[in-house]
Each structure stands twice: as structure tokens, then as C-alpha cells.
Amino acid sequence: MTTFSTPPVDAGTVAVAELCQAAQAHREYGERHGTLHPEVWQELVESALPRATLPRQFGGLEWSAPQLLAAVREISAADPAAGWVAAIHGPAGAFLSRLDPSVTQDFADRRLVVGGSSVPVGTAVRHGERVRLQGCWPLVTGAPSMTLAALAAPMTGPDGVSVPRWWLVPSTALNIENDWDALGLRGSASYTLSCDTEVPLAHGIDLTGPPVIDTPIFRYPLYALLAGCIAEVARATADRALAAFAELADATRTRYGSGPLAQQPVAQAAYGRAHGRVQAAAAFLDSATQVAWSDATVGEVPTEQVALLRSACCQMVDTAEQVCRELFDAAGSAAIHRRNGLEGCWRDAVVISRHALVAARGRQLVGAHHLTSAAAKDL
């Protein structure tokens, strides 16, 4: 039997700190090149993040949800693009908690860095105990560092019904198209992947189904964990925008007013409103997370709490996008210069808010639960 050596949690914390240092030092590289600096990629792979939610039999750490979310927020404060990659790779290890135990050895002796795409644009055709997977999946964050991709492609069952599946594909079978040139989160290398390969039928997983491992991190709702990591990137972005506005307001003199922008009532009101909204959204997110995690430590998380958690994630992202835009507007022409970073916060927040888990689909799932008392499987 293959055994793995699981590093202590404190070693993982040190590795996250080293990742933050590298990410902050090379933040500008990502802005200019559309991918993280090679040193940051290396620190990311060697950090605890890819193992944070991996099952222990794969060498994982099985962190608590609050611990993972705090790490993603810390990395995002250093560099939002690196934080975005961490927000994907960190919780993606939990996908393997849905694998049948009989195939565990298929992934032994690998350094697993999991990512992927939930856009069901591929095709999966079964041939006996294998499946031919074909397709082209866009917006796969952190593609350069992945060793294993979970790619969505429905498969038609014996009854003719199409069922959702995510197929685990090694990076060696993937083609990567360097096509990421976005408004924000520019260093995240969210490339397009394509493949035409065969994978074992047993390597298909249902992310909406229950995990086969009964531990707290896997009882914590998977889609809420993914959405929570995204919300933490938004939270860090909003905090950076508040700090950037305060710095800019102190140094900028207005054309028609006396004294710096920081002394103008309009600017003070804009900052006060933004600060209060961010604090409120963050408190909602923290409270919902703590209650859900407490539930997961003793049993199943109630559907009502899952809906509240998803709502908190959407609220945090909405608030961050609105606050960054309003602070950018309140700073006037001084905000257009990249050196202050306020315009970068606005660009990042816009891109974050487009992720399906926290955009219209996420809000619709919450609303559907409250209005119809029917919870979708991907809530």
C-alpha cells in the first residue's frame, strides 16, 4: 500500500507566508504578462494550498473551512491574481472526496494540484469501462500549475438520461491555449484547455453527490466552499480599495476645494459608506461560515444554512464590486493612475463578480430555495 507523509499544519502555514511574500514581490509581473511569476508558481505548488482539502490518503491536510478561507484572503491581500489561483486550487482537492475508494491508487505517488472547469462544454462517450472525453474548456484558472484537471462533460446513462460528471484528467493529456487577456486578475493565467483522450469510467465524479469520506471538511457544502474562497478574494480586494482610497485622498488636492481630498465632505461620506458596507458584508460572511463549519463538525449542514452561506458569499462579492467602483468614482481623475492601485481594485472586482458561483446563478439558487422550498443539488 502506498503511504503519504502529511506535513504538520504549522509547516503549511509557513509555506503560505512564503507564497504571500513572493506574490507581493512579483505582483506587477502578472499584470504585464498575464501569468504569475515563475517563482510564485513554484511557491504555490510547494505551499499547503493544493493539499489543504485533499483527502489524507492523497497526502492532504484536510484543513478546516475557516482556515482555508483565511489563507485565501491573506494571499489575495498580497496579490489578487495569486489569491484567485489559490481560491481555485485550495478547495478543488475536495473533489477527490467523491472518488470511489477502489481507484485511490490510480492517483498515488503524485503531487496533486487540482483545478478545472465546471462549464459543461465537453462530450463524454462511454466505451466499456473507459470514456472518450473531448472538448475545449475556457477560463481554467491556474492552468500552468495543475497536475490534475476536473473537466465537466455530461454522459448519457443506460436510461438515455444525461447525467453531469466531472472527469479527472492528468495535465499530460491536456493542451493549454495561452489566451488569457482580461480586464482584471490578469496574472491568474485562466487559460483554455482542450483534450481528446480516454479516461477510466471510475475517474468520473459527481460533485453534486455526497462525499465518500465522512470528515468535517467534506461535510461542509462543496459549492459553498468554492464560493467562499471567491468571496474572500473579493473581500481582500475591497479592503485594498479602502486603503488605496485613503492614501490617495490624503495626497490629492482638489481643484476647487481647499485642502486634500480627505478633508472634503463628499469624499468622507463616500469612504464612510464604503467602509460600513464592507464591514457588514464581511461580518455576514464570517458568521455564516462559522455556523456552517460548526454544523459540519458534528454532522450534516442544514439546507437553510447552506442557502444563507451562499447568500453571504454573493453579498460579499456584490459589495466589493460596488464599493470598488464607487471609490474609484469618488477619487476623480486621481484614480486613473495605476501607481495607486485603486483602478486595479475596480478591475479585479469586476472580474470576480462574473464568476458563476457568485453571480446571477448563485443568487438564483438562494432565491429558489426561499421561494419554492426546493434546493438545487448545486446549492
Side-chain angles (χ1 to χ4, degrees):
M1 176 181 290
T2 302
T3 59
F4 295 87
S5 175
T6 302
V9 173
D10 58 347
T13 302
V14 170
V16 168
E18 293 173 349
L19 170 59
C20 288
Q21 292 175 5
Q24 187 166 27
H26 297 293
R27 181 190 294 183
E28 185 60 24
Y29 184 94
E31 279 285 314
R32 296 191 179 278
H33 298 281
T35 184
L36 299 177
H37 190 277
E39 181 182 339
V40 182
W41 285 123
Q42 181 178 352
E43 291 288 352
L44 175 71
V45 171
E46 294 177 354
S47 76
L49 263 298
R51 304 191 308 279
T53 63
L54 269 177
R56 293 191 187 280
Q57 56 261 49
F58 295 103
L61 298 171
E62 294 190 19
W63 276 2
S64 71
Q67 184 179 7
L68 172 61
L69 296 173
V72 169
R73 183 167 69 250
E74 183 180 356
I75 297 165
S76 301
D79 175 20
W84 190 250
V85 176
I88 302 303
H89 287 333
F95 294 175
L96 274 67
S97 70
R98 269 73 179 169
L99 271 179
D100 189 294
S102 65
V103 302
T104 297
Q105 292 303 307
D106 293 355
F107 300 95
D109 299 321
R110 298 189 189 183
R111 190 174 193 123
L112 295 177
V113 181
V114 187
S117 172
S118 62
V119 183
V121 291
T123 61
V125 180
R126 180 175 178 176
H127 300 284
E129 293 304 305
R130 297 187 68 81
V131 172
R132 184 177 182 183
L133 182 66
Q134 295 176 293
C136 186
W137 290 263
L139 303 175
V140 181
T141 294
S145 64
M146 278 193 320
T147 63
L148 190 66
L151 302 175
M155 184 181 69
T156 302
D159 56 358
V161 177
S162 180
V163 293
R165 285 292 182 272
W166 283 257
W167 305 95
L168 297 176
V169 184
S171 58
T172 52
L174 300 169
N175 299 310
I176 300 178
E177 183 179 349
N178 185 343
D179 59 351
W180 177 247
D181 185 17
L183 178 71
L185 301 174
R186 291 182 52 79
S188 64
S190 298
Y191 297 152
T192 295
L193 298 185
S194 62
C195 73
D196 184 351
T197 189
E198 284 195 352
V199 297
L201 177 64
H203 289 189
I205 54 179
D206 179 5
L207 295 186
T208 63
V212 298
I213 304 172
D214 187 28
T215 58
I217 188 59
F218 304 130
R219 288 197 294 265
Y220 194 88
L222 178 58
Y223 281 99
L225 184 64
L226 294 163
C229 287
I230 291 168
E232 292 295 354
V233 185
R235 178 179 180 173
T237 301
D239 286 341
R240 288 191 301 110
L242 287 166
F245 183 86
E247 180 181 358
L248 190 68
D250 188 57
T252 301
R253 299 188 70 85
T254 60
R255 177 174 299 181
Y256 302 109
S258 58
L261 181 63
Q263 295 181 4
Q264 306 305 313
V266 172
Q268 293 169 346
Y271 182 88
R273 181 171 57 250
H275 184 270
R277 292 172 65 189
V278 171
Q279 293 300 309
F284 182 21
L285 180 61
D286 287 344
S287 175
T289 299
Q290 289 294 341
V291 172
W293 178 248
S294 180
D295 289 337
T297 61
V298 296
E300 185 177 355
V301 180
T303 302
E304 186 66 28
Q305 188 58 41
V306 179
L308 189 67
L309 184 55
R310 289 297 300 273
S311 180
C313 295
C314 293
Q315 183 68 22
M316 185 73 255
V317 172
D318 277 350
T319 298
E321 194 272 334
Q322 294 167 12
V323 161
C324 288
R325 184 184 68 246
E326 290 171 6
L327 290 176
F328 179 79
D329 290 342
S333 60
I336 66 175
H337 301 288
R338 293 183 66 246
R339 61 178 177 268
N340 173 259
L342 188 55
E343 57 83 34
C345 295
W346 172 76
R347 290 188 290 106
D348 292 338
V350 168
V351 174
I352 294 168
S353 69
R354 266 57 179 178
H355 196 286
L357 283 171
V358 290
R361 172 61 175 169
R363 293 189 293 272
Q364 179 259 315
L365 290 173
V366 175
H369 166 70
H370 289 305
L371 292 175
T372 67
S373 300
K377 292 180 69 176
D378 53 346
L379 178 61

